[in-house]
């Protein structure tokens, strides 16, 4: 029997790769500690192809968005779950008009909120604060990744396990599983995000530590604010993402500082409220702060040149060890297309893009 391709990590990278391999007729085997450790669990879930401040697509933005939309839709059909929620996309008005109270977005206490999303859209647009900038989506990552986990587990393709250095015999390409069993592999793909490379609660895996990561901290707050019916996702100094059908919004941004733990420091929550209030008008920061239901932080597995790492791990080229990592701030957008490329390369039907190889010189 052919040895399987083993994937370590079932965040968005490991999940998309596993399904791409299955679509090509392989039976991969996935080992994952728990996706709650990962960056995918922390993601706000916004998917769109733009660098809105500069009004240009992100790296591979437009093609990735098309691919992602198709991919997540087909995953929905396969899993019988709803995870992809299309949204209009807005950015701050370039006129730089200073924000004041907006009639449609008045304080919840006054009860003068616009009656429906069209009101809110009309007023916030007429107010000159935001302009329509395209389309995006909210991806419900928790439902998606749990759904894929169940799909793999039912087919004996997943094992919950923490893999440490001592569990891998790189020379003979064998992994030791909990309970004393061993598993040979044809290729070992480390889709471990930053966890396994920086040791955030999980054992260090040396191949992953060979990659020059640059972790970027993101913080998110979730508020229950049903009276604020936003017309879509607003992208500015903070992202304001309505979670369709829940009355909740997520406000998040990136903080470039060293990652400590998964708790959002109170200062971040206050800062997010202050910045969101300046965009929305009608709510002051204290109003927003009082409506917080949850807050969390997480680290984005970014590289120094902001491109993913995909290919043989330097120093382990002869041991069949690959990585699929460094997805950075837009991993939900790029993972499906990259996973398809990696699956083709592992199957020998395509080569890997040179600019993504982990041994590229410039990182
Ligand atoms: C706060 C925040 C908000 C974000 N918002 C967005 C957003 O709105 N849109 C967007 O596109 N991107 C967003 N991102 C970025 C996005 O989340 C990442 O690019 C993406 O999720 C990375 O996925 P991954 O699969 O590479 O890593 P992860 O999701 O971290 O998955 C790694 C997996 O490997 C497992 N693992 C690690 N080590 C081991 C081991 N030794 N043994 C077994 N298993 C192991 C972990 O348990 C985990 O399940 C955000 C990130 C953060 C932190």
């Amino acid at each position: 029997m052919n040895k399987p391709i083993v994937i370590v990590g079932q965040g968005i990278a490991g999940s998309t790769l596993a399904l791409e391999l299955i679509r090509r007729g392989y039976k991969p085997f996935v080992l994952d500690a728990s996706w709650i450790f990962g960056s995918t669990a922390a993601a706000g879930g916004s998917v769109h192809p733009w660098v809105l401040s500069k009004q240009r697509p992100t790296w591979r933005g437009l093609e990735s968005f098309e691919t992602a939309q198709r991919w997540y839709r087909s995953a929905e059909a396969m899993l019988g779950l709803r995870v992809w929620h299309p949204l209009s996309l807005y950015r701050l008005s370039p006129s730089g008009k200073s924000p004041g109270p907006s009639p449609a977005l008045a304080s919840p206490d006054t009860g003068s909120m616009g009656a429906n999303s069209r009101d809110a859209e009309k007023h916030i647009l007429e107010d000159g604060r935001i302009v329509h900038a395209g389309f995006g989506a909210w991806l419900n990552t928790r439902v998606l990744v749990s759904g894929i986990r169940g799909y793999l587990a039912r087919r004996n393709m997943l094992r919950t396990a923490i893999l440490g250095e001592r569990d891998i015999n790189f020379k003979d390409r064998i992994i030791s599983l909990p309970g004393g069993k061993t598993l040979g592999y044809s290729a070992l793909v480390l889709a471990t995000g930053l966890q396994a490379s920086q040791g955030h609660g999980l054992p260090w895996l040396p191949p992953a530590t060979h990659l020059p990561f640059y972790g970027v901290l993101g913080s998110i707050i979730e508020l229950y604010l049903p009276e604020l019916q936003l017309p879509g996702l607003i992208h500015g100094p903070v992202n304001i993402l309505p979670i369709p059908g829940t009355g909740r919004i997520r406000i998040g941004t990136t903080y470039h500082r060293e990652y400590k733990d998964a708790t959002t420091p109170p200062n971040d929550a206050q800062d997010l409220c202050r910045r969101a209030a300046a965009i929305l008008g009608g709510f002051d920061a204290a109003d927003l702060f009082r409506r917080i239901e949850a807050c969390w932080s997480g680290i984005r597995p970014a590289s120094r040149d902001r491109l993913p790492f995909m290919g043989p791990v330097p120093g382990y080229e002869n041991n069949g060890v690959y990585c699929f990592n460094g997805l950075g701030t837009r991993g939900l957008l790029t993972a499906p297309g990259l996973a398809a490329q990696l699956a083709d390369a592992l199957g020998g039907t395509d080569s890997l893009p040179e600019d993504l190889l982990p041994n590229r010189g410039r990182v």
Side-chain angles (χ1 to χ4, degrees), residues 154-219:
R154 285 192 295 279
R155 288 160 182 77
N156 295 321
M157 289 190 231
L158 181 126
R159 181 83 186 260
T160 300
I162 296 176
L163 201 72
E165 183 187 0
R166 280 184 305 187
D167 302 320
I168 312 173
N169 174 342
F170 292 106
K171 187 167 154 287
D172 299 324
R173 303 191 182 195
I174 295 172
I175 286 173
S176 302
L177 297 172
K181 286 197 173 165
T182 57
L183 177 69
Y185 59 83
S186 58
L188 177 70
V189 183
L190 301 177
T192 47
L194 262 188
Q195 301 296 328
S197 61
Q198 303 229 321
H200 295 302
L202 292 173
W204 290 52
L205 281 179
T209 59
H210 285 218
L211 305 175
F213 277 116
Y214 179 70
V216 177
L217 184 106
S219 289

Side-chain angles (χ1 to χ4, degrees), residues 25-345:
Y26 293 92
K27 193 173 176 194
F29 192 80
V30 179
L31 284 162
D32 185 65
S34 162
W35 77 287
I36 58 163
F37 287 116
S39 172
T40 307
S46 62
V47 185
H48 68 78
W50 299 106
V51 181
L52 287 166
S53 55
K54 301 191 176 131
Q55 273 302 282
R56 61 169 168 76
T58 55
W59 177 78
R60 287 194 186 180
L62 296 174
E63 63 182 270
S64 296
F65 187 75
E66 289 293 313
T67 307
Q69 177 153 262
R70 265 199 315 277
W71 199 93
Y72 291 123
R73 285 284 195 216
S74 80
E76 281 182 330
M78 186 175 142
L79 302 168
L81 296 168
R82 178 94 201 273
V83 297
W84 180 260
H85 301 264
L87 289 171
S88 286
L89 190 65
Y90 294 82
R91 68 186 172 94
L92 295 193
S93 162
S95 72
K97 185 171 168 177
S98 88
S102 158
L105 301 172
S107 158
D109 297 332
T110 69
S112 59
M113 179 63 56
N116 57 41
S117 60
R118 205 157 280 162
D119 285 347
E121 176 172 359
K122 187 163 163 276
H123 286 290
I124 199 168
L125 286 170
E126 279 177 359
D127 202 44
R129 201 170 286 138
I130 59 168
V131 289
H132 191 253
F135 296 93
W138 173 56
L139 179 70
N140 191 336
T141 53
R142 295 174 194 187
V143 169
L144 175 74
V145 175
S146 318
I148 294 176
R149 196 172 188 86
Y151 180 92
L152 295 172
R154 285 192 295 279
R155 288 160 182 77
N156 295 321
M157 289 190 231
L158 181 126
R159 181 83 186 260
T160 300
I162 296 176
L163 201 72
E165 183 187 0
R166 280 184 305 187
D167 302 320
I168 312 173
N169 174 342
F170 292 106
K171 187 167 154 287
D172 299 324
R173 303 191 182 195
I174 295 172
I175 286 173
S176 302
L177 297 172
K181 286 197 173 165
T182 57
L183 177 69
Y185 59 83
S186 58
L188 177 70
V189 183
L190 301 177
T192 47
L194 262 188
Q195 301 296 328
S197 61
Q198 303 229 321
H200 295 302
L202 292 173
W204 290 52
L205 281 179
T209 59
H210 285 218
L211 305 175
F213 277 116
Y214 179 70
V216 177
L217 184 106
S219 289
I220 295 184
I221 51 177
E222 188 170 289
L223 291 73
Y224 184 57
L225 219 56
E227 66 274 43
L228 173 65
Q229 297 189 14
L230 287 177
L233 166 62
I234 302 177
H235 193 91
V238 291
N239 290 326
I240 306 178
L241 171 71
I243 307 300
T246 67
R248 292 185 167 76
I249 60 167
R250 288 182 185 169
I251 303 171
T253 197
T254 297
Y255 292 98
H256 293 267
R257 59 155 192 262
E258 200 193 341
Y259 177 80
K260 292 276 192 319
D261 60 42
T263 317
T264 307
N267 286 350
D268 284 5
Q270 278 160 2
D271 180 61
L272 289 168
C273 290
R274 192 178 47 74
R275 295 210 236 169
I279 295 169
L280 295 172
F283 291 93
D284 65 27
D287 285 335
L288 295 177
F289 194 80
R290 275 196 296 276
R291 309 292 286 276
I292 294 176
E293 282 199 332
C295 49
W296 62 90
S297 294
I299 194 155
R300 294 162 175 153
S303 64
R304 292 210 174 269
D305 64 2
R306 298 292 190 270
L307 294 182
F309 295 118
M310 201 168 79
V313 175
Y316 293 79
E317 291 90 344
N318 298 326
N319 307 112
V321 184
Y322 292 76
C323 68
F324 181 18
N325 211 322
L327 296 185
T329 57
R330 304 247 60 89
L332 310 180
L333 173 72
T334 52
L338 292 170
Q341 277 189 299
L342 181 54
D344 283 342

